[in-house]
Amino acid sequence: MRKTVKYCAVYPGTFDPLTLGHLHIVKRGLTHFDTIVIACSVGEHKHTLFSLEERLNLLRQCFKPFGKRVVIDSFDMLLVHYLQQQKIHTILRGIRTVGDFEYEHQMSLANRTLDPKIETVFMLTDDHYSHLSSSLIKEIAALGGNVGAMVPTAVAKALKSKLPKRVKS
Ligand code: COA
């Protein structure tokens, strides 16, 4: 039988920068959704290292191999308003730890109160990546550590050129 319904989800985040953990969630999400829209928050609540354009460019580069099933976009409004604008009813979120669960629980209920049609689908972050966060990676890179096992190659290169070289005294 021909499938007529398209299943789409929005995967929101600041992606400052994208990590292998985020990438893995999208990869696994594509086994359940036809299309995933990666919605990059302008991130005014965070002092981002990368500008919005830089973050979007890195997302475009890293998700190029996934073709049209991954759409890269940005948003600067309430997440539920963005979903309404896109006519998408599902938010995809990764959960790394019990700590994430509490935050996600609150966000999901708040979003559902704002729009009862919107559902959040959670995926557990793979063990390999559950200790990662963008801030941790930026700190390691800033102190000269190797982040090659934590971020895609393009992100590792961008971090290297963005962060000032530490001069040993
Ligand atoms: N692997 C590795 N790291 C991960 C990860 C994964 N699978 N999932 C999340 N992280 C990291 C992120 O890199 C981020 O690290 P950082 O805090 O060091 O930068 C951290 O976990 C938190 O990620 P997340 O919860 O996705 O925060 P965010 O800032 O990237 O995104 C928004 C939060 C944008 C989704 C949220 O603020 C939002 O919806 N904003 C829109 C305004 C709105 O609607 N507000 C009301 C919400 S009820």
Side-chain angles (χ1 to χ4, degrees):
M1 208 191 346
R2 216 163 219 272
K3 195 168 95 176
T4 50
V5 179
K6 281 237 169 226
Y7 295 100
C8 301
V10 167
Y11 182 51
T14 307
F15 305 111
D16 184 47
L18 171 76
T19 71
L20 287 179
H22 295 128
L23 201 129
H24 198 245
I25 292 284
V26 175
K27 220 178 200 172
R28 284 164 53 211
L30 286 173
T31 62
H32 300 275
F33 296 100
D34 296 305
T35 307
I36 294 181
V37 177
I38 302 184
C40 189
S41 162
V42 168
E44 265 158 17
H45 60 301
K46 288 187 168 180
H47 294 288
T48 60
L49 173 67
F50 293 99
S51 69
L52 177 65
E53 213 37 60
E54 288 170 329
R55 284 178 280 139
L56 288 171
N57 278 335
L58 285 170
L59 286 166
R60 285 185 199 113
Q61 270 185 66
C62 298
F63 285 100
K64 204 171 174 195
F66 296 85
K68 289 186 176 157
R69 292 187 66 202
V70 176
V71 175
I72 310 297
D73 197 9
S74 63
F75 73 108
D76 190 10
M77 60 183 86
L78 269 181
L79 183 58
V80 288
H81 289 165
Y82 178 74
L83 270 99
Q84 288 163 354
Q85 202 181 72
Q86 299 296 312
K87 297 187 172 43
I88 297 175
H89 303 287
T90 311
I91 299 169
L92 175 64
R93 295 287 289 169
I95 290 195
R96 295 165 300 168
T97 59
V98 177
D100 274 0
F101 176 78
E102 293 207 4
Y103 170 65
E104 294 299 334
H105 178 252
Q106 189 185 24
M107 267 219 313
S108 168
L109 291 184
N111 284 330
R112 198 136 51 90
T113 305
L114 290 167
D115 184 343
K117 286 197 298 294
I118 290 176
E119 202 62 68
T120 308
V121 170
F122 297 106
M123 294 183 82
L124 291 183
T125 300
D126 193 84
D127 270 358
H128 282 97
Y129 309 119
S130 60
H131 61 292
L132 297 183
S133 75
S134 300
S135 308
L136 183 80
I137 288 165
K138 282 180 281 190
E139 188 182 335
I140 295 171
L143 295 171
N146 182 359
V147 293
M150 303 172 191
V151 292
T153 312
V155 173
K157 276 190 195 156
L159 279 166
K160 213 170 178 178
S161 58
K162 190 86 175 173
L163 293 164
K165 283 197 180 75
R166 273 176 64 89
V167 183
K168 281 186 190 152
S169 53

